Amino acid sequence: MFSVLGSSGIYAEAMPLSIETNISLKSPGNPAVTYKLNQSAEGLLKAQRELPIQIKQEQTNNGDVSEIKITLTAKERVYYNLEQIYSLPGVNHNDCEFYMPGFWYHRNLRSPKEAPSFHTSDSWQVREDRLSTPLTGIYNNKTGDYYIVLRIDDFKYESLAPHNSGETILSGKTSLGFTGFRNINGNSALVFGFPYHEAPKTYIRKLTLNPSVQAFEKLEKGETRQLVWTIKKSKAQDYSAFVADVWNYSYDTFKPQQVKTAYDTALAKKVLSNFFVESYVDKYDLKYFSGVHMRIDNCASTPSVEIGFVGRVLLNAFNALEYGEETGNNDLVKKANSIFDSFLQYGFTSNGFFREFVDYGRNSETSIYSIRRQSEGVFAILNYLNYEKKKGRKHPEWEVKIKTILSNFLKLQGADGSFPRKFDDKFNVSDASGGSTPSATLPLTMAYTYFKNKAYLDAAKSTAIYLEKELISKSDYFSSTLDANCEDKEASLYASTAMYYLSMVTNGKERDHYVDMSKQAAYFSLSWYYMWDVPFAGGQMLGDVDFKSRGWGNVSVENNHIDVFIFEFATVLDWLAKERKEPRFSEFSQVIKTSMLQLMPVEGHMFNIGKVGYYPEVVQHTNWDYGKNGKGFYNDIFAPGWTVASLWQMLSPDRVENYFNNKK
């Protein structure tokens, strides 16, 4: 094997890796032929017959990391796909869990069979731009050993592919290879290669698996292509520590830098505030900023209003009120207050829940409610009430409404501290999954501070017990987002943020424990955020405008696109960096905060968005899409309500501490 730094700190002797290499060569119009390669004494990889391509492999070992360098040189024009297999001797596949950042956690068993998961196969390999870092990790639960393969490249090139299944010759150069894991006769193996080859299926849109796709890149006679991977073996006490180790290693390898943009906080908020100006709708009983189900090309307001999730109407009303008063914009203040007044009068069900989603165009509204949207509504109103109190303005009717909904929360909370994901106005639970529980921790903690009612704090602490036992200790973050039921970024982000909020109202060892829990969950949230810049082909808008994906987060296993979901998390990272002396967190927070402002739509730089400040949502960075536009573009329908709210929260880093410290 190769050298390994174990817990004793002593390196084993470095030995070359035993890697099986295959090359598939395609002649246009004919099926590809695959050749097994064997290493010769001079370091060349050769097949049993003479091939029109020379393949040289070099290995170097440095401690627990080995570098694999492949040099391909065409003897004549050739179309190729290279595969490497590193079998892990004695590592039983059934003892292992797997990791592809931002796409695969454990065995993806929270995901349905229509998305990549062990439900469909126990062996998967995917194109690298699906992943927040182009790597695969295998963790052995029996021994704690883990193995990762990481691709090293400048990732400059991408090309268009005529087909999204079967064998396809690329239109030009690509920088995208593939990575994954395979069950070989009961043992685990890392598989990787170039260009991309997805198997056993390729994931093309929501809950749609296509047959495998294998891409072939052309090399002209005399042309050379060099490929580099690193393979690392180490040890971790559990899957959670494994993910943290791999994130730190990846960060130190890629060293992502801040993205240069023209936006400071003041300018960014000024541009985003145009959303409040143009999206205001006042022709129904509920007044709102229209932020869901709209077209990207015209951004016309729609008759749908959503309290939280992708709508975030009440949080945007608070943002507009605060900004309007800061800048002397009385029109914004008037709009914001009319929204609050309308929701106070018309925004509640008979049992005191928020009316979560109302579609005036169809004269319908949801009768199934979610702890996530309800929590985000309470969160927004508590921010509003606390702000108003500091201004000397009282709202006793609002306080009564919020106490009622908080009482409802206490009725819904399970004995284990969890909250059901979905329920109706009569408290009948339709989805008992606890993955959305951390969204309730925030308003419960805030309510304790605002109302001085210890019952809210007890409920918040009870959620923390559940989160630690069922999500954090099991590194199992799921079912937070409402349009998918699978492994997702938002569950870990909310869990980390929940512990941050609890640290604001506790002291001593209890507070320290919440800080530790926040950090543990933060690594999983961070694992969804891109370390690198995926390449785009010419003609793909995101590439043509020089978009950098670093700092943007993938969404979930089901929804394989990137977005600007961040809210308080950048602030949490800055806080954790100080609390636990982890400079990587604050450094990467700066990458996020700069990169996420890249696609700000302003006159002359609209990035295919119809109105200034309507920030894009579904940023399609790989060959997955919702059925419209594809890689390098957005879906045709988007929800700027939450994107504006998310960036606004990111741009207001003192908001949380000021709330709990009761500062003006």
Side-chain angles (χ1 to χ4, degrees):
M1 297 297 291
F2 52 95
S3 73
V4 179
L5 179 60
S7 56
S8 64
I10 299 173
Y11 285 105
E13 183 181 356
M15 297 285 288
L17 305 184
S18 178
I19 293 178
E20 177 185 333
T21 306
N22 301 304
I23 193 163
S24 297
L25 301 180
K26 185 171 180 65
S27 172
N30 299 287
V33 179
T34 300
Y35 302 93
K36 183 176 180 179
L37 303 177
N38 296 297
Q39 190 154 4
S40 66
E42 60 269 31
L44 297 178
L45 297 176
K46 294 186 175 183
Q48 289 187 334
R49 55 153 285 189
E50 189 71 18
L51 298 180
I53 187 170
Q54 177 182 288
I55 306 135
K56 182 179 181 182
Q57 177 175 286
E58 301 171 80
Q59 287 190 32
T60 56
N61 302 293
N62 181 17
D64 58 349
V65 178
S66 293
E67 182 180 274
I68 314 299
K69 184 183 293 183
I70 298 285
T71 304
L72 304 165
T73 304
K75 300 175 185 176
E76 57 187 75
R77 179 184 291 173
V78 66
Y79 302 86
Y80 73 95
N81 182 286
L82 182 86
E83 173 189 72
Q84 299 210 283
I85 305 168
Y86 174 40
S87 295
L88 308 180
V91 178
N92 190 306
H93 202 69
N94 291 333
D95 293 339
C96 295
E97 294 183 309
F98 307 90
Y99 175 51
M100 289 187 276
F103 192 65
W104 191 286
Y105 296 82
H106 302 286
R107 299 183 176 189
N108 270 11
L109 288 174
R110 294 285 183 182
S111 294
K113 67 180 182 348
E114 296 86 0
S117 71
F118 256 50
H119 297 302
T120 304
S121 174
D122 65 0
S123 304
W124 283 87
Q125 58 195 55
V126 304
R127 50 190 280 159
E128 292 163 335
D129 59 353
R130 292 199 191 283
L131 311 179
S132 55
T133 306
L135 68 83
T136 295
I138 298 178
Y139 180 75
N140 188 332
N141 280 312
K142 286 278 182 74
T143 65
D145 292 330
Y146 70 77
Y147 306 79
I148 61 171
V149 59
L150 174 67
R151 174 87 182 293
I152 306 296
D153 204 331
D154 55 14
F155 297 107
K156 285 183 178 179
Y157 304 108
E158 175 61 312
S159 62
L160 301 176
H163 306 293
N164 59 13
S165 65
E167 296 177 354
T168 184
I169 292 176
L170 299 173
S171 64
K173 294 299 181 186
T174 187
S175 296
L176 295 178
F178 66 90
T179 186
F181 55 86
R182 190 177 298 171
N183 181 349
I184 300 180
N185 300 321
N187 283 350
S188 276
L190 290 166
V191 292
F192 50 97
F194 185 90
Y196 62 84
H197 179 190
E198 296 202 296
K201 303 285 186 178
T202 179
Y203 192 40
I204 60 166
R205 65 181 52 93
K206 188 175 178 70
L207 302 182
T208 305
L209 290 165
N210 252 23
S212 174
V213 62
Q214 185 177 26
F216 292 82
E217 186 183 57
K218 178 175 69 174
L219 283 181
E220 295 287 2
K221 182 178 179 179
E223 192 176 357
T224 294
R225 184 70 165 91
Q226 191 172 86
L227 306 166
V228 180
W229 293 269
T230 63
I231 293 180
K232 175 182 170 72
K233 180 186 177 186
S234 194
K235 211 174 185 73
Q237 64 183 14
D238 54 27
Y239 188 88
S240 186
F242 155 61
V243 168
D245 283 358
V246 174
W247 189 87
N248 287 329
Y249 171 69
S250 302
Y251 182 85
D252 293 343
T253 300
F254 279 87
K255 295 181 175 61
Q257 300 297 304
Q258 296 179 36
V259 176
K260 293 180 180 179
T261 68
Y263 298 98
D264 58 14
T265 295
L267 182 55
K269 284 187 173 182
K270 182 178 180 181
V271 175
L272 291 171
S273 70
N274 188 62
F275 170 75
F276 306 141
V277 174
E278 295 207 45
S279 67
Y280 179 67
V281 176
D282 65 354
K283 59 184 178 181
Y284 307 110
D285 54 356
L286 292 177
K287 318 303 179 191
Y288 60 96
F289 295 127
S290 179
V292 298
H293 299 175
M294 60 178 55
R295 292 187 56 84
I296 59 171
D297 53 2
N298 60 25
C299 298
S301 293
T302 67
S304 298
V305 53
E306 186 172 18
I307 201 84
F309 191 46
V310 299
R312 290 282 189 155
V313 166
L314 293 178
L315 184 55
N316 277 324
F318 171 58
N319 292 334
L321 173 65
E322 182 184 62
Y323 186 71
E325 293 197 335
E326 281 177 6
T327 59
N329 188 329
N330 292 328
D331 183 57
L332 277 190
V333 173
K334 183 179 178 182
K335 287 182 167 87
N337 280 324
S338 74
I339 291 172
F340 286 122
D341 291 345
S342 73
F343 272 86
L344 179 62
Q345 185 172 0
Y346 302 110
F348 292 88
T349 69
S350 58
N351 271 327
F353 288 108
F354 280 115
R355 294 170 68 192
E356 280 192 16
F357 184 89
V358 181
D359 185 342
Y360 290 103
R362 296 179 180 176
N363 195 28
S364 66
E365 63 182 277
T366 184
S367 59
I368 300 298
Y369 305 115
S370 65
I371 195 61
R372 169 141 178 201
R373 278 194 289 222
Q374 296 291 325
S375 295
E376 289 168 347
V378 177
F379 170 90
I381 295 300
L382 286 171
N383 271 297
Y384 164 68
L385 289 175
N386 194 57
Y387 173 82
E388 290 287 279
K389 181 186 284 187
K390 291 175 182 178
K391 295 288 187 179
R393 301 187 288 251
K394 297 181 179 179
H395 300 277
E397 291 181 344
W398 261 118
E399 291 182 352
V400 170
K401 292 286 190 184
I402 294 303
K403 285 180 179 178
T404 298
I405 200 169
L406 288 165
S407 176
N408 289 349
F409 276 25
L410 299 185
K411 292 177 186 176
L412 283 167
Q413 189 171 26
D416 62 356
S418 71
F419 281 90
R421 188 165 176 253
K422 294 182 180 180
F423 45 86
D424 66 15
D425 194 39
K426 299 186 185 303
F427 301 90
N428 297 310
V429 173
S430 56
D431 185 344
S433 168
S436 295
T437 296
S439 61
T441 313
L442 279 61
L444 286 168
T445 309
M446 295 168 70
Y448 163 68
T449 297
Y450 185 85
F451 291 114
K452 313 301 182 193
N453 184 336
K454 191 171 179 293
Y456 304 144
L457 179 60
D458 290 342
K461 289 183 177 181
S462 185
T463 67
I465 293 170
Y466 173 81
L467 294 177
E468 180 176 0
K469 181 181 178 183
E470 298 297 334
L471 273 70
I472 297 174
S473 71
K474 295 178 180 179
S475 58
D476 188 16
Y477 302 92
F478 62 96
S479 301
S480 180
T481 184
L482 296 180
D483 59 354
N485 197 353
C486 61
E487 299 81 357
D488 64 49
K489 169 186 63 191
E490 292 163 32
S492 54
L493 188 148
Y494 254 123
S496 182
T497 307
M499 297 301 176
Y500 169 58
Y501 273 62
L502 278 164
S503 78
M504 295 290 161
V505 294
T506 51
N507 298 292
K509 290 184 178 179
E510 184 180 23
R511 180 183 183 276
D512 284 344
H513 186 65
Y514 291 137
V515 176
D516 289 340
M517 290 297 99
S518 180
K519 181 181 177 183
Q520 195 169 337
Y523 275 114
F524 278 82
S525 188
L526 280 167
S527 75
W528 292 84
Y529 287 87
Y530 272 66
M531 290 277 191
W532 62 299
D533 298 328
V534 302
F536 296 92
Q540 293 177 328
M541 184 270 294
L542 292 174
D544 293 338
V545 300
D546 198 28
F547 171 74
K548 310 296 185 188
S549 60
R550 76 188 93 135
W552 287 59
N554 223 322
V555 176
S556 69
V557 176
E558 283 190 30
N559 295 329
N560 188 206
H561 65 87
I562 55 176
D563 67 17
V564 295
F565 196 96
I566 190 66
F567 290 95
E568 297 94 343
F569 187 55
T571 302
V572 174
L573 290 175
D574 291 335
W575 167 76
L576 282 171
K578 294 177 183 176
E579 290 285 338
R580 291 296 179 259
K581 297 180 173 55
E582 179 44 88
R584 294 184 187 94
F585 283 7
S586 55
E587 289 167 6
F588 196 63
S589 170
Q590 285 301 116
V591 175
I592 291 171
K593 287 185 282 192
T594 54
S595 185
M596 283 191 173
L597 297 178
Q598 286 179 83
L599 297 180
M600 190 76 74
V602 296
E603 293 296 338
H605 300 278
M606 293 300 293
F607 303 109
N608 283 2
I609 297 294
K611 292 181 181 178
V612 169
Y614 282 60
Y615 208 87
E617 178 197 11
V618 181
V619 178
Q620 296 175 155
H621 69 296
T622 183
N623 73 324
W624 183 97
D625 59 46
Y626 280 114
K628 296 284 186 175
N629 302 333
K631 178 174 178 174
F633 300 93
Y634 318 129
N635 190 44
D636 61 335
I637 303 298
F638 80 135
W642 80 260
T643 60
V644 171
S646 176
L647 293 175
W648 203 280
Q649 199 77 352
M650 181 188 80
L651 294 165
S652 307
D654 299 328
R655 182 176 276 181
V656 178
E657 291 198 19
N658 287 348
Y659 181 97
F660 287 105
N661 295 334
N662 208 28
K663 293 178 181 177
K664 291 187 177 181

